[in-house]
Amino acid sequence: MSDPLLPFRDAIDNIDRQIIDLLADRYKQVAEIGKIKHSLNMPIYVPEREKALMSKLLQYNNKRLEENTVKAIYREIISGAIRTEQ
């Protein structure tokens, strides 16, 4: 008997691979920003930028995901970005 969950799990695995690829691409951009910030003696963490980004993301989300979920995910992504920039 075939596992009825298998097609969904396969789809999720595929999505997860795409998410990892996109995050790796995002952090490549972040690393370049970090180089520029270091060369110009700019601060790595800019709270206003994080606030503006979160606002933009919540608008884009358009209530498809719970707001707290989006915030939690992006807090982790931003934390990783800050570490990458340093």
Side-chain angles (χ1 to χ4, degrees):
M1 183 167 132
S2 149
D3 182 352
L5 301 178
L6 190 59
F8 299 101
R9 289 183 173 150
D10 286 344
I12 289 170
D13 288 346
N14 185 46
I15 292 166
D16 287 340
R17 282 190 293 274
Q18 292 176 54
I19 289 170
I20 294 295
D21 289 343
L22 290 170
L23 286 172
D25 289 345
R26 187 184 199 284
Y27 285 143
K28 283 181 191 174
Q29 301 301 313
V30 165
E32 292 304 313
I33 288 171
K35 289 177 190 176
I36 294 167
K37 284 181 175 180
H38 282 289
S39 73
L40 299 174
N41 279 337
M42 296 172 70
I44 297 299
Y45 178 65
V46 180
E48 298 81 22
R49 168 67 180 142
E50 182 177 343
K51 187 175 180 180
L53 173 62
M54 200 65 78
S55 176
K56 189 185 332 180
L57 291 166
L58 292 174
Q59 281 183 313
Y60 176 71
N61 179 48
N62 198 26
K63 300 184 184 200
R64 292 177 290 169
L65 302 173
E66 287 188 30
E67 185 173 304
N68 286 337
T69 299
V70 173
K71 287 181 177 180
I73 290 167
Y74 270 88
R75 271 194 296 272
E76 290 302 317
I77 290 172
I78 291 166
S79 291
I82 291 167
R83 287 190 302 277
T84 298
E85 283 186 35
Q86 293 173 337

